[in-house]
Amino acid sequence: MAEEHIELNQEAHADLPIIEIENLKVQYRTERAIGNALNGLTFNVAKGESVGLVGESGAGKTTTALSILNLLPQPAGKVVEGDIKFHGKSVFSMSEKELLAMRGGRVAMIFQNPLTALNPVFTVGEQIAMVLRIHRKLKRKEAMEQAAELLEMVGIPRNRVKDYPNQFSGGMRQRVGIAAGLACNPELLIADEPTTALDVTIQAQILELMKELQRQYSSSLLMITHNLGIISELCENVAVMYGGRIIEYGSVTEVFSSPQHPYTYGLLNALPSLEDRRDRLMAIPGRIAEAQNLPTGCHFHPRCENCEEQCIQELPELRDISKTRKVACYKAKGVS
């Protein structure tokens, strides 16, 4: 029944983005402090679109992913304002059955650490098959057969379907995670730092695999990372996060070639370059804004060389500077 409900909702809102995030504000509350993890987050993911969500650790990227799946840690995590809609329906108003149908079925997530994401007491085949049995209602034998085929698809021999996670390397475990994520041909694949713990050779293989599988399945992709190279490799558009907000948005080509926000410029300027043989990389001064103690006005102003009085007093809105670009900065071109 729940899956039928979502199907009907999907058809009724066929012209809408798959995911709509509107002015989302999320807090983490403990006995000692309140952390404002997301502070008016707004962006969409359209059908077939690949969006990179980039920013330093603590910017709110993982909280964004957990919010989409309505999986904020309880009781600490709390949505205090705003909404996330999946095919036009709020994920925060979905029943448990509807959420179960969405998670892993229509929206799948590849986690940062494949060792902790996989259950050590079940074989990798059983864990992939479990996704198929829940969402596709397959019998155990058929689900295991498809699990073996999925392992082959991501470059793992099918005869390893009965092996346990500890019998695989980090790169192979991440491939298992990708296979489980793609088991039900999801409309949206969320990848949260999927190559962080892998060496560069394995990283390249995983990224090439994800690129090919996205083309094959025509899934939308939300790639969460601090690595700008991964964004340029996999994504069409990029959303730059700082202090729990989007501070710049546009196509990867536009943003990377002509950044409008000083934070985006700083991130790009900190990258090593074969053409620019500097003695030292240019780091962004200061520390990232803390969720428990956000600065007044623009959250980036304590680290910004172009800071003016207005930046200290007023929080800049995310504004259009062209048909395809948005930026939250009073000094950006096209913002008056």
Side-chain angles (χ1 to χ4, degrees):
M1 182 64 70
E3 293 202 27
E4 290 177 5
H5 181 89
I6 292 179
E7 282 286 355
L8 292 172
N9 197 47
Q10 177 183 346
E11 292 173 6
H13 299 274
D15 57 333
L16 294 178
I18 291 176
I19 292 290
E20 301 170 89
I21 304 177
E22 183 64 35
N23 193 36
L24 186 67
K25 298 182 181 180
V26 172
Q27 293 180 343
Y28 290 117
R29 300 178 177 181
T30 66
E31 293 180 358
R32 296 184 177 182
I34 295 177
N36 297 292
L38 298 180
N39 301 286
L41 184 72
T42 299
F43 74 99
N44 299 333
V45 181
K47 182 178 181 180
E49 182 184 13
S50 53
V51 179
L53 200 57
V54 66
E56 295 170 279
S57 297
K61 304 185 301 296
T62 297
T63 298
T64 301
L66 295 176
S67 298
I68 291 173
L69 293 168
N70 197 0
L71 281 176
L72 288 171
Q74 297 299 317
K78 183 176 178 61
V79 176
V80 295
E81 193 173 325
D83 201 2
I84 299 178
K85 293 180 180 178
F86 174 65
H87 285 300
K89 177 162 186 175
S90 171
V91 299
F92 304 124
S93 66
M94 287 184 180
S95 67
E96 283 301 317
K97 287 185 178 180
E98 289 174 314
L99 287 171
L100 181 63
M102 180 184 74
R103 297 171 185 155
R106 299 197 174 281
V107 181
M109 186 164 175
I110 301 171
F111 292 91
Q112 180 174 347
N113 189 336
L115 184 58
T116 57
L118 295 171
N119 192 320
V121 302
F122 292 101
T123 68
V124 296
E126 287 172 326
Q127 294 183 63
I128 297 172
M130 193 179 301
V131 178
L132 294 163
R133 294 178 69 183
I134 290 172
H135 296 286
R136 294 283 181 86
K137 310 301 180 186
L138 299 183
K139 299 294 185 182
R140 186 180 186 281
K141 183 177 180 180
E142 187 180 1
M144 286 295 288
E145 178 62 30
Q146 288 201 21
E149 292 175 4
L150 284 160
L151 287 177
E152 280 193 326
M153 182 184 70
V154 297
I156 298 175
R158 64 185 299 124
N159 61 6
R160 300 204 63 183
V161 72
K162 294 184 179 180
D163 287 350
Y164 290 86
N166 68 295
Q167 296 175 272
F168 291 82
S169 66
M172 295 287 265
R173 284 193 292 262
Q174 196 59 285
R175 288 171 183 262
V176 173
I178 293 172
L182 293 171
C184 294
N185 191 11
E187 296 172 62
L188 173 64
L189 182 64
I190 302 173
D192 186 5
E193 302 277 12
T195 61
T196 296
L198 308 178
D199 65 55
V200 291
T201 303
I202 303 300
Q203 279 189 28
Q205 293 175 2
I206 294 295
L207 292 177
E208 188 59 37
L209 173 64
M210 290 184 66
K211 189 190 303 184
E212 177 59 34
L213 292 175
Q214 191 199 2
R215 283 196 296 263
Q216 181 179 336
Y217 281 80
S218 300
S219 297
S220 299
L221 173 67
L222 180 61
M223 172 61 71
I224 297 172
T225 183
H226 64 276
N227 189 322
L228 299 178
I230 290 176
I231 298 296
S232 64
E233 182 76 16
L234 282 182
C235 300
E236 304 164 280
N237 298 314
V238 58
V240 183
M241 284 193 77
Y242 190 84
R245 304 175 71 232
I246 303 296
I247 51 92
E248 184 161 3
Y249 185 93
S251 73
V252 169
T253 302
E254 289 178 312
V255 172
F256 284 13
S257 63
S258 179
Q260 293 297 302
H261 197 284
Y263 177 64
T264 311
Y265 179 83
L267 288 178
L268 292 165
N269 204 37
L271 293 175
S273 170
L274 293 175
E275 289 78 23
D276 185 3
R277 296 182 177 273
R278 292 171 287 180
D279 292 333
R280 297 183 61 183
L281 296 177
M282 301 296 292
I284 302 174
R287 298 170 60 184
I288 190 168
E290 296 180 353
Q292 298 91 338
N293 188 27
L294 289 170
T296 60
C298 174
H299 298 152
F300 185 66
H301 87 254
R303 307 174 70 185
C304 184
E305 296 178 353
N306 302 320
C307 175
E308 296 181 351
E309 187 63 27
Q310 185 182 21
C311 308
I312 299 173
Q313 299 297 330
E314 301 175 22
L315 182 66
E317 296 179 5
L318 186 65
R319 308 183 189 183
D320 294 325
I321 58 172
S322 73
K323 291 183 178 179
T324 56
R325 296 288 299 276
K326 298 176 185 290
V327 67
C329 179
Y330 294 119
K331 305 276 286 183
K333 298 174 185 177
V335 174
S336 57

